[in-house]
Amino acid sequence: MMTIARPVCARHTFRAGADMKKVTLNIDGSDVVADEGMSVLEAALQNNIYIPHLCYCPDLPPRGACRLCIVELGDGQLVTSCRTPVEPGMVVKTKSPEVDRAVRPVVELLVADYHASCRGCPSSGHCELQRIMAHLRIDRRRVRRLRPPEDEKPLDTSNPCFDYDPNKCVLCGICVHTCEEIHGTGSLYFIGRGYDTRIAFFGDASRCESCMECVARCPVGVLLPKAQSQQ
Amino acid sequence: MEELQEERVRQILSSYESEPGRLVPILLDVQTSIGYLPEEGVQMVARFLNIGVGQIYSVASFYSRFQLTPVGRHRVTVCRGTACHIRGAPQILGEIEKGVGLKEGETSSDLEYTLETVACIGCCALAPCIKINADVHGELTPRRVKEVLLSLGGGETDA
Amino acid sequence: MPDKQRTVLVCQGTGCISGGAERLYSALEAEMARLNLGELAWMKYTGCHGFCQRGPLVVIEPDGIFYSKVKLDDVPDIVQSLLPGGRTVERLLYHDSVIDRPIFHYRDIPFYYKQQRLVLRNCGNINPEDIGDYLAAGGYQALPGALAGMTPERIIDEVERSGLRGLGGAGFPTGRKWDACRRAPGDEKYVICNGDEGDPGAFQDRSVLEGDPHSVLEGMIIAGYAVGANRGFVYVRAEYPLAIRRLGVAITQARERGYLGRNILGSGFDFDVEIFQGAGAFVCGESTAMVLSIEGRRGMPKPLPRPRTTEAGLWGKPTLLNNIKTFANIPLIINRGAGWFASRGTENSKGTAIFSLTGKVVNSGLIEVPMGIRLREIVYDIGGGIPDGRAFKAVQTGGPSGGCLPVELVNMPVDFDSLTAAGSMMGSGGMVVMDQDTCMVDVARYFLDFTRRESCGQCMPCRVGTKQMFDILDSITKREGKPGDIELLEELGTAVARTSLCGLGQTAANPVLSTIRYFREEYEAHIYDDYCPAGVCQAYL
């Protein structure tokens, strides 16, 4: 099985746990210890239990946008683990028939949407979606039932330091929020609505300070430093 | 942007307070006054509200009503509502596409016509309906459509 | 003003106006002046009378004589009929196809007599641009009664006991929502009236605003008093210019009379309202998205868990959000009491439902019926059945979030819970009748086309899922369906419903799943038998 190097966001740095109150919960049959105030997702990841996620980044508030981190609680409820705080005695299932019925088709939809093949992609090997596909053992025969997307949009080369591939973008929003909340410039925006939404500078390119934080955090590597994307 | 248009935008801005909550009403006023949102107009609004131009485009591009490119003198809007669909709106759209030589979302190069669709005009009992600028035309048939277009002064463009 | 004998009411709703009602009004006015009718009759223009298909409409009161499909050429005859010895213009009367006799009085027309027009009580009877008319019809009596004689808790109790449920779509108990907003801590609260009405095929909110805007204002002011809010917004989609204009006139007049503004009727309570125009996004009918759009942002709904809008809504303050029709019910409940209201409807769905009845039906228009009425009564008794002798196939309710009810369900009661149990929902009241010439696969494709265009794009299942479901349905209608597509649609639909962030995505699959549930054989005919049973899909003809 190939080792996939994770992008920056996946290198989790959790809050120092020493003097925080501890909470014990049960994930997939095992008791794990977490800090009070952590999300179920964070508690799982910290204990080396993987839950698929694309829009989560440890130093940004969880947005619950990708819906892939859905887990099943003891009462059968399906919730996004990134926005569910841990509670003592909680019972969580990350892999159940219900979770699979809910999440697998969504991942298959993403794969069918411009990710049908990883061949030739400059980010292959550094991609969270690949990790999710391996974790769920996505069957490409099932993916081929879906209708492929129609036209390919051209690469956006307008920024001096990096290029943006709008086709493979999963619109997780990490770059937009990084620019706005962490770097503070706020010059990357969502443009449009629905399926045709894209990321762009749209007139504020002069505000970009080339810190490359967005590039470092993109979970699927569609923001590429100029040198790399031209391979 | 022409000087007259610039003046109109200035007038619009002078009637508002500089608050972020006023963005959508301001843009709607500019849109109504000029017919679309010209780039210089957006820049003026950005300066007035002290927000980035990109943020305005981010908001404007989310809402269907905002046009970022100039519109034609006759803005033909075909209703895509349920009742209109059941009563033959796709055929009406087809007739109009032939009549003005445009596809949905396009504006003719002489800026005479813009063709667009909208989710629902709200005249469902008179389906199928279209709007030409502010006028609603209901209970259309392909033949009535031809008549309506002719009455605008030239149903066919030279496209 | 001297007592005139008759009133000539000319409908000036958007529908009738598109049929020439404005010119008709001017012509009638001119002719009446020419013949010096002064003492015998006077004119009034009104909002939507509901029977839009038969417009332009002219009603002569107090007789209730109903003239439909009136043209300019008919003006002299109508004016003649108002003179002493004048005769009713029979050719303009409504002709019932079953009885085959002209009906003089609109109250005898089945379209009307089976209705219970409460929310629509004034639509078609008053001049919406004259507050005096609203007052003469009993308006602005609930408000002084509430301000002077009831505490906020008492008002909320009355609304709760009435059993009123929100008429915007979800049917949440209104009194409970008001109570939650009242209890929320904070001095600054807001009331928002949802007039976004994005459902294609629904026009009730438009009609109420065009025909009786004060009923909504009165409801909002009472709500503001009950929950402790001093500012309100009426969110109206920009596609409704006439409704916006009439509402603006109503607000001005209400302010002039002291029903809006500071120290209303000497009560010490301040409340004022402004209009906010929606800029074209169906998703903004969702409460958190509506709040975001008023704040000048992209209307992308907020995920759970999140504070309730009643606790933290507009600008983070407690906000009460209700639909136009819900507010229009409030003056009635305060005037007549919870018991009166709760005596109508069913156990769990009190009061009335307002539907835009459209599609393949003889009498198309706006109707208001008691909750629990049988679907059959709506389609046949009020709607007049299917035109041209075609066969009834299904009724779609709830717009793009709803589902189809096939002929087997024609005897079902129509209320919130029955509709949900059948795989559809009340939604905001669109009711589209379909006949044998309607292709149900095309219907599902149509609704998914709407939903995928309106998806905000924030969450992955809805953004990519609605597009994919549309693509599959589109290809089936274009003779490119593949074996396994029906099962695939069921799988995707269920996943999108379970994982989507907001109601738009969660209900997006309803039209597909319900048409597959009741009309699977039509899907199979397209995919396996290579034909479209309804004869609609062009690629098969």
Side-chain angles (χ1 to χ4, degrees):
Chain A
M1 182 165 128
M2 68 192 286
T3 339
I4 301 170
R6 290 212 260 97
V8 170
C9 262
R11 280 179 238 136
H12 306 285
T13 49
F14 297 109
R15 295 179 272 281
D19 19 317
M20 304 244 349
K21 200 167 150 212
K22 300 294 180 195
V23 171
T24 305
L25 62 153
N26 188 288
I27 304 183
D28 292 338
S30 310
D31 280 342
V32 304
V33 178
D35 293 335
E36 191 181 52
M38 261 188 183
S39 67
V40 171
L41 176 64
E42 288 172 323
L45 294 174
Q46 186 177 47
N47 285 277
N48 290 314
I49 300 170
Y50 183 68
I51 300 178
H53 59 276
L54 277 174
C55 73
Y56 167 73
C57 204
D59 43 11
L60 287 169
R63 287 182 48 243
C66 71
R67 321 304 288 173
L68 302 179
C69 69
I70 279 175
V71 295
E72 186 178 346
L73 297 182
D75 59 2
Q77 242 197 106
L78 294 179
V79 295
T80 44
S81 54
C82 66
R83 286 181 64 84
T84 305
V86 294
E87 276 165 42
M90 205 177 200
V91 174
V92 176
K93 283 190 259 188
T94 71
K95 288 180 160 202
S96 74
E98 286 308 308
V99 171
D100 199 75
R101 241 197 296 275
V103 176
R104 178 175 301 273
V106 182
V107 177
E108 288 168 351
L109 283 166
L110 284 173
V111 174
D113 198 47
Y114 296 110
H115 294 270
S117 170
C118 299
R119 191 190 301 262
C121 175
S123 300
S124 184
H126 306 85
C127 172
E128 194 71 25
L129 184 57
Q130 278 180 324
R131 187 187 176 154
I132 296 171
M133 287 168 67
H135 177 76
L136 290 178
R137 296 172 63 187
I138 291 295
D139 184 344
R140 291 213 187 255
R141 285 169 304 181
R142 282 175 51 91
V143 174
R144 281 195 285 275
R145 298 179 304 164
L146 299 166
R147 301 310 197 266
E150 290 122 16
D151 30 18
E152 269 204 31
K153 293 184 169 48
L155 205 64
D156 180 350
T157 56
S158 62
N159 186 281
C161 297
F162 60 81
D163 291 335
Y164 167 63
D165 182 354
N167 302 303
K168 295 193 168 59
C169 175
V170 292
L171 288 165
C172 65
I174 288 178
C175 57
V176 173
H177 293 273
T178 296
C179 191
E180 192 184 313
E181 291 168 46
I182 295 181
H183 192 74
T185 332
S187 51
L188 266 177
Y189 301 98
F190 286 117
I191 300 293
R193 184 177 78 204
Y195 183 78
D196 296 322
T197 308
R198 293 292 172 254
I199 310 292
F201 282 108
F202 225 120
D204 280 339
S206 52
R207 281 153 72 138
C208 171
E209 289 166 12
S210 305
C211 69
M212 303 293 261
E213 282 290 324
C214 53
V215 174
R217 288 151 182 271
C218 177
V220 291
V222 298
L223 292 168
L224 291 164
K226 287 276 190 195
Q228 203 175 322
S229 85
Q230 269 136 37
Q231 277 160 14
Chain B
M1 194 164 68
E2 297 154 15
E3 248 200 61
L4 183 62
Q5 292 175 329
E6 216 184 283
E7 180 52 36
R8 285 209 208 130
V9 176
R10 244 182 263 123
Q11 267 176 5
I12 289 167
L13 291 175
S14 68
S15 68
Y16 282 97
E17 303 196 353
S18 170
E19 276 169 15
R22 295 292 150 194
L23 177 59
V24 171
I26 290 174
L27 291 178
L28 277 172
D29 279 355
V30 174
Q31 166 92 22
T32 306
S33 171
I34 299 180
Y36 73 110
L37 300 178
E39 207 179 307
E40 296 91 334
V42 171
Q43 284 161 3
M44 286 171 72
V45 177
R47 280 194 293 274
F48 177 74
L49 290 175
N50 200 23
I51 56 181
V53 166
Q55 190 173 333
I56 297 188
Y57 280 116
S58 180
V59 172
S61 63
F62 184 84
Y63 296 99
S64 306
R65 249 185 115 68
F66 294 124
Q67 290 270 3
L68 302 175
T69 50
V71 294
R73 194 163 64 93
H74 302 296
R75 192 167 174 178
V76 183
T77 311
V78 180
C79 182
R80 264 189 290 115
T82 314
C84 289
H85 180 82
I86 303 273
R87 290 207 194 162
Q91 284 89 302
I92 301 299
L93 179 60
E95 275 302 320
I96 298 179
E97 282 177 336
K98 272 192 298 195
V100 300
L102 296 170
K103 289 260 167 256
E104 178 190 339
E106 292 179 354
T107 298
S108 59
S109 45
D110 58 3
L111 286 186
E112 275 294 294
Y113 293 94
T114 292
L115 177 59
E116 55 189 17
T117 65
V118 76
C120 181
I121 293 176
C123 287
C124 318
L126 299 170
C129 301
I130 64 171
K131 267 173 87 157
I132 302 191
N133 296 330
D135 300 319
V136 176
H137 300 264
E139 292 181 304
L140 289 169
T141 58
R143 196 186 49 176
R144 275 207 65 206
V145 164
K146 287 202 185 83
E147 286 165 15
V148 169
L149 288 177
L150 276 170
S151 74
L152 292 177
E156 328 268 320
T157 59
D158 296 314
Chain C
M1 179 157 286
D3 255 290
K4 309 238 180 178
Q5 286 209 20
R6 290 205 183 92
T7 314
V8 180
L9 300 151
V10 186
C11 178
Q12 302 281 291
T14 299
C16 284
I17 287 179
S18 79
E22 274 174 327
R23 289 190 295 279
L24 183 62
Y25 186 92
S26 308
L28 277 166
E29 208 175 26
E31 182 72 0
M32 282 168 65
R34 192 176 74 83
L35 292 180
N36 268 315
L37 245 66
E39 297 295 304
L40 294 173
W42 59 308
M43 291 197 62
K44 199 185 323 202
Y45 68 86
T46 70
C48 183
H49 216 273
F51 208 163
C52 311
Q53 179 134 33
R54 309 290 305 179
L57 299 173
V58 175
V59 177
I60 316 287
E61 293 281 24
D63 314 290
I65 298 191
F66 184 83
Y67 292 134
S68 59
K69 291 211 178 280
V70 180
K71 298 189 185 29
L72 281 176
D73 296 341
D74 299 319
V75 168
D77 285 341
I78 294 179
V79 178
Q80 283 293 317
S81 78
L82 300 168
L83 295 166
R87 300 185 45 177
T88 314
V89 189
E90 278 205 27
R91 71 167 186 281
L92 292 176
L93 293 173
Y94 176 79
H95 280 72
D96 184 77
S97 50
V98 173
I99 305 174
D100 198 26
R101 223 186 337 113
I103 299 181
F104 285 72
H105 309 297
Y106 73 81
R107 295 175 194 103
D108 296 327
I109 298 174
F111 181 82
Y112 286 109
Y113 73 66
K114 283 228 147 191
Q115 295 188 41
Q116 275 182 26
R117 294 170 78 87
L118 302 181
V119 167
L120 301 177
R121 58 194 176 277
N122 292 325
C123 290
N125 299 326
I126 65 167
N127 179 344
E129 296 189 33
D130 182 353
I131 192 174
D133 262 23
Y134 181 69
L135 287 163
Y140 288 120
Q141 278 177 19
L143 177 60
L147 291 179
M150 294 169 86
T151 59
E153 289 85 355
R154 173 93 178 72
I155 293 173
I156 292 175
D157 183 59
E158 200 73 23
V159 176
E160 250 172 328
R161 284 188 307 109
S162 75
L164 177 68
R165 287 168 70 168
L167 293 166
F172 190 85
T174 307
R176 211 192 302 169
K177 193 187 268 195
W178 286 30
D179 193 46
C181 191
R182 162 146 197 90
R183 287 173 193 282
D187 288 329
E188 203 184 320
K189 300 185 185 178
Y190 296 98
V191 172
I192 300 179
C193 176
N194 187 341
D196 199 32
E197 195 163 59
D199 270 30
F203 57 100
Q204 307 87 307
D205 295 345
R206 171 175 72 69
S207 298
V208 172
L209 283 177
E210 285 178 5
D212 192 11
H214 285 287
S215 65
V216 178
L217 290 177
E218 192 175 2
M220 282 177 77
I221 305 166
I222 293 172
Y225 175 65
V227 303
N230 302 110
R231 276 184 70 189
F233 291 85
V234 186
Y235 192 105
V236 189
R237 54 201 296 254
E239 287 86 340
Y240 287 171
L242 183 57
I244 291 169
R245 195 177 68 72
R246 295 230 171 113
L247 182 61
V249 170
I251 291 173
T252 305
Q253 291 181 351
R255 282 189 190 133
E256 281 164 5
R257 298 274 190 135
Y259 297 116
L260 280 172
R262 305 188 76 85
N263 194 17
I264 296 174
L265 303 176
S267 65
F269 172 60
D270 303 338
F271 190 80
D272 211 339
V273 149
E274 66 179 270
I275 301 175
F276 187 93
Q277 288 190 43
F282 172 74
V283 70
C284 286
E286 195 272 351
S287 53
T288 59
M290 178 165 285
V291 163
L292 284 166
S293 70
I294 298 178
E295 292 174 354
R297 295 155 65 183
R298 291 164 66 92
M300 304 196 309
K302 298 195 171 156
L304 293 174
R306 62 173 198 226
R308 299 233 202 88
T309 310
T310 44
E311 276 146 48
L314 186 58
W315 309 114
K317 310 290 181 194
T319 304
L320 176 70
L321 207 152
N322 273 133
N323 176 266
I324 296 243
K325 305 178 287 286
T326 312
F327 281 122
N329 267 306
I330 297 298
L332 287 173
I333 291 173
I334 299 298
N335 276 333
R336 315 261 213 123
W340 168 85
F341 189 84
S343 68
R344 289 158 199 277
T346 65
E347 180 73 37
N348 292 316
S349 301
K350 297 297 179 190
T352 56
I354 299 124
F355 291 109
S356 307
L357 182 65
T358 64
K360 302 293 185 72
V361 69
V362 170
N363 300 325
S364 180
L366 205 62
I367 67 171
E368 186 171 356
V369 292
M371 291 274 191
I373 191 176
R374 306 268 149 192
L375 185 59
R376 184 178 25 85
E377 293 175 80
I378 296 179
V379 176
Y380 290 104
D381 299 342
I382 298 178
I386 319 296
D388 305 324
R390 311 308 275 166
F392 170 64
K393 188 165 186 180
V395 167
Q396 209 276 347
T397 68
S401 314
C404 296
L405 307 164
V407 67
E408 301 92 85
L409 295 179
V410 79
N411 282 318
M412 70 175 274
V414 175
D415 61 37
F416 283 108
D417 304 318
S418 308
L419 287 171
T420 308
S424 181
M425 60 186 273
M426 180 76 70
S428 72
M431 189 178 266
V432 188
V433 183
M434 299 169 182
D435 68 8
Q436 65 199 76
D437 299 326
T438 311
C439 172
M440 303 316 280
V441 183
D442 180 63
V443 167
R445 174 199 176 281
Y446 165 83
F447 280 117
L448 262 300
D449 189 23
F450 176 85
T451 314
R452 59 136 187 158
R453 290 185 201 228
E454 298 293 338
S455 167
C456 77
Q458 186 185 195
C459 81
M460 298 184 191
C462 176
R463 184 181 78 240
V464 199
T466 54
K467 166 86 165 50
Q468 179 67 220
M469 285 193 284
F470 169 75
D471 284 345
I472 296 170
L473 289 162
D474 192 45
S475 65
I476 296 174
T477 61
K478 294 189 164 115
R479 252 180 130 192
E480 288 160 13
K482 299 187 284 190
D485 273 348
I486 301 173
E487 293 73 16
L488 180 57
L489 283 169
E490 287 174 313
E491 238 187 83
L492 288 177
T494 311
V496 171
R498 294 247 183 97
T499 58
S500 288
L501 189 152
C502 84
L504 189 152
Q506 287 156 11
T507 59
N510 284 352
V512 194
L513 295 175
S514 93
T515 49
I516 291 178
R517 173 174 169 184
Y518 294 115
F519 298 97
R520 196 187 191 97
E521 68 281 359
E522 264 193 72
Y523 282 83
E524 289 173 345
H526 284 72
I527 296 172
Y528 297 103
D529 304 328
D530 195 28
Y531 91 111
C532 171
V536 167
C537 299
Q538 296 285 317
Y540 294 88
L541 302 176

